[in-house]
Amino acid sequence: MLRLASLSLLSLISAQSLTLYTGDQTASTATSTASAAEGTYTGLAAYDPTVLTPPTPPETPVTSYTLTLPSNGQAVLDQGLSLSIAQKGNFLGFSVELSIANSLMGSSSTNMKVPFLNYMANIQNRAGVGPVIRVGGNSQEGSTIFTGGLEDGAVLDKIKVSSGVTDTPLINYSLELFYLMGNITSLVGADWYFGLSFNESAVDSPTGNVPIAAKWAQDILGEHLLALSVGNEPDLYVDHSKRESGWGVSNYVTEFDTMTQSILADNNLIDTTAFIGPSTCCQVEGFELDDVFNAGWLTSNVDNLAAVSVQHYPTNNCKINGNVIDPQAIFSDFLNHTSAQAQVSPYLTNSQTVLGVQKEFIMLETNTASCGGFAGLSDSFGVALWMADYALQMAWGNFTTALMHVGGQNVYYNPFTPPPSTEAATKQWTTGSIYYSTLVIAEAFGKSNQSKVVDISPSTDQDANNIYHPIYAVYENDAPTRVVMFNYIDDSTGANDLQTTINVGTATSSVSVRYLRASSVSEQYNITWAGQTLGTSFASDGRLYGEQSTVTIQCTDGNCVIPVYAPSIALVFLTEDALSNSTPSADATTEYETSIVGTGSATVDKQALETSNGQSSSKNGGTSKGNSSSGAISRITNVSTTTIGLVLAFTGGLLSLVM
Ligand SMILES: *[C@@H]1O[C@H](CO)[C@@H](O)[C@H](O)[C@H]1NC(C)=O
Ligand SMILES: *[C@@H]1O[C@H](CO)[C@@H](O)[C@H](O)[C@H]1NC(C)=O
Ligand SMILES: *[C@@H]1O[C@H](CO)[C@@H](O)[C@H](O)[C@H]1NC(C)=O
Ligand SMILES: *[C@@H]1O[C@H](CO)[C@@H](O)[C@H](O)[C@H]1NC(C)=O
Ligand SMILES: *[C@@H]1O[C@H](CO)[C@@H](O)[C@H](O)[C@H]1NC(C)=O
Ligand SMILES: *[C@@H]1O[C@H](CO)[C@@H](O)[C@H](O)[C@H]1NC(C)=O
Ligand SMILES: *[C@@H]1O[C@H](CO)[C@@H](O)[C@H](O)[C@H]1NC(C)=O
Ligand SMILES: *[C@@H]1O[C@H](CO)[C@@H](O)[C@H](O)[C@H]1NC(C)=O
């Protein structure tokens, strides 16, 4: 495991080009998280060190497999398989709960969290497009915008916080939130979904609050606002006492109409193809996506919809009626290809319907389990494999985007979590295993925006252990360019390593491979993507550390034998172009501000963490943001990338560089 001690950091820095560091690295070394006995940990879920027992490997290993790779799209069809629509490298993105948007992204438009920017820049550098981020969730429903700013000058205030995982606070937010999002876009190219409050009394309130929020979101974010989400999991409104019993699909359709018409009234919006819904989630009888479609919702709203959304968790940790699920008992459910298929197949007819009206189909919120996920499961390496499989399966099923939910410190499933505010001065961020899945997906699709994917997994007659060995192939310009191969089996002895032979044609003498690896599916933190890691708990600044490792495999007569270790993902690049189209470019550093926080550049100033976690009641007390920072961010662009010892500081709320 990489320790962020000064020496190794300096050697890493000199190997890469840049940069910005915090001076005292000793404070950020890893804390031991190894193997606390179950039950002894009483801290916050996001840092829970619980490790599950991996499933035993199959008794009879399968050690070799020959992949027949169709040479073009027609050959894919001829094998009885289907290629997806063209996908982008930012397919797998993030859904940020509104109530924690400030603790994750920044306390103002001039005080952004550098680790967050780094996590996002890693995607942009691989995908060629910025990440897709949704801000919303349960907490959007009780939200109110104050265009004159909040009394404390904040991005948002939580009015009521209760202890339950999905109990939602009321939120007051200000324009500063949109400016913060806009500034994140200017650095890392993010595109946004934003959740409005679905509340008729808020529409009819004297201020007409929801239409005001919609207008400002569009005005400030412009083309980077993908859509405004109207209604979050309306199929659960009755259950969650947000509507009277008996409220159903027809009421929903009427309210959706009232809400969107009030937003569109008086030419309030510049872009009227503005909305996304219905975000149904939970297979509630009579309130599924099909029921919403059958009620005429899609047809009557098609002109004002940017996309159609659903939300989905395979299981839950809600402990409904005392029904407690034991994570150990369900761990193996996440460790084979059947799960990814089972999550996606119910949506295959829907995705065709949505494509048929030329709209995008979005998984607006997903993760391992609702109500916070599970200790040892949601943060395991095995689930990082699962999330990549599930994402590729959604991409194959013609979803256009899938967003992993990020909650607070009381959940297990976060892709990244800031340190608790009481410890911010000494600790850094914690990377969740599923963050690595976004890197795999970004590189599997690369920068062309033209990647079509096919699930080409083995069948039982060719591989008795086939459920553990899913395979996807990516096609660009009608030719295969990358292959993603999984091995879900936990077997460090090597007995279950799979040697997969791919025939690439004699014109190719070698292929390149990058691996997602850990020693066990139970591992939480010692995970590498192409040899690089984001480290253990409380140790990440959002950058990848270590030498990037790309393995070259020599092929004989066009046959390339790729080891797929148990457990791992092997991403095979069939051409040099495919490899370079997935690789962060070395000169990205001179072109954009993003380069400064991307490609292993910036790290966080401890003082910035301290002040931006809201301990010191702060800073720029102003209301809606003025212009105090405009020059500061762009100044970073001009920094020479060879100097070691810059400190990216946020003193006084201003982003500034201190030599
Ligand atoms: C991390 O994993 C690697 C390979 O699985 C192993 O060699 C190394 O010892 C592990 N490091 C720690 C700190 O556990
Ligand atoms: C709807 O908005 C009103 C007034 O703005 C607020 O009092 C109420 O709590 C909101 N209802 C829900 C379900 O969030
Ligand atoms: C935030 O909301 C509360 C209640 O919803 C309200 O009383 C208060 O004035 C608001 N705070 C502001 C504008 O900062
Ligand atoms: C594979 O996953 C499915 C679906 O999650 C689960 O029902 C099944 O038990 C798993 N199979 C094995 C052998 O673990
Ligand atoms: C996805 O869309 C493409 C293009 O329309 C189509 O050929 C393919 O069959 C669809 N895939 C699925 C699984 O529906
Ligand atoms: C991919 O799409 C984005 C818009 O989402 C665009 O900015 C970018 O230029 C496209 N890339 C290529 C290679 O066409
Ligand atoms: C920018 O800030 C200055 C000084 O605070 C102020 O006079 C000016 O009006 C501001 N401009 C804008 C566009 O807010
Ligand atoms: C950041 O946001 C402020 C508004 O608060 C704006 O004046 C400034 O230009 C933004 N900076 C960038 C780089 O977008």
Side-chain angles (χ1 to χ4, degrees), residues 88 90 127-130 191 447-450 581:
K88 293 181 186 171
N90 62 1
V129 288
D191 285 331
K447 300 184 175 81
S448 73
N449 299 345
Q450 294 301 327
N581 241 327

Side-chain angles (χ1 to χ4, degrees), residues 552-567:
T552 302
I553 304 274
Q554 299 300 331
C555 310
T556 310
D557 301 330
N559 291 314
C560 323
V561 182
I562 318 292
V564 190
Y565 306 105

Side-chain angles (χ1 to χ4, degrees), residues 362-584:
I362 313 294
M363 178 59 74
L364 196 64
E365 175 180 329
T366 191
N367 212 311
T368 38
S370 57
C371 294
F374 289 101
L377 183 146
S378 299
D379 48 6
S380 68
F381 177 66
V383 151
L385 305 179
W386 172 83
M387 184 59 84
D389 188 8
Y390 174 35
L392 289 167
Q393 190 71 20
M394 283 188 274
W396 167 78
N398 290 331
F399 279 86
T400 28
T401 296
L403 306 177
M404 300 187 299
H405 201 53
V406 194
Q409 284 149 346
N410 53 348
V411 305
Y412 298 102
Y413 56 49
N414 289 337
F416 35 73
T417 311
S421 53
T422 48
E423 312 218 37
T426 53
K427 290 185 173 168
Q428 296 206 18
W429 289 42
T430 301
T431 304
S433 62
I434 56 172
Y435 177 76
Y436 290 90
S437 315
T438 63
L439 303 176
V440 175
I441 298 303
E443 294 197 21
F445 291 152
K447 300 184 175 81
S448 73
N449 299 345
Q450 294 301 327
S451 289
K452 300 180 177 183
V453 63
V454 52
D455 180 347
I456 192 167
S457 299
S459 57
T460 324
D461 52 343
Q462 288 165 54
D463 175 357
N465 293 339
N466 70 321
I467 59 169
Y468 304 110
H469 299 148
I471 303 178
Y472 296 84
V474 171
Y475 287 69
E476 291 164 287
N477 300 318
D478 209 32
T481 50
R482 302 182 191 83
V483 180
V484 193
M485 305 192 291
F486 292 71
N487 193 339
Y488 274 111
I489 299 171
D490 191 283
D491 185 355
S492 57
T493 68
N496 273 285
D497 290 357
L498 183 67
Q499 308 293 327
T500 298
T501 302
I502 306 179
N503 187 291
V504 293
T506 46
T508 305
S509 59
S510 68
V511 295
S512 303
V513 188
R514 288 184 181 150
Y515 288 100
L516 183 68
R517 291 199 72 176
S519 60
S520 160
V521 293
S522 299
E523 175 61 43
Q524 280 176 295
Y525 301 118
N526 190 2
I527 297 171
T528 55
W529 167 242
Q532 298 185 301
T533 187
L534 288 131
T536 189
S537 55
F538 304 116
S540 183
D541 59 11
R543 291 188 291 169
L544 290 152
Y545 282 89
E547 288 283 310
Q548 186 184 51
S549 145
T550 307
V551 178
T552 302
I553 304 274
Q554 299 300 331
C555 310
T556 310
D557 301 330
N559 291 314
C560 323
V561 182
I562 318 292
V564 190
Y565 306 105
S568 74
I569 293 174
L571 171 55
V572 185
F573 301 90
L574 301 175
T575 66
E576 278 298 314
D577 277 354
L579 179 63
S580 68
N581 241 327
S582 293
T583 302

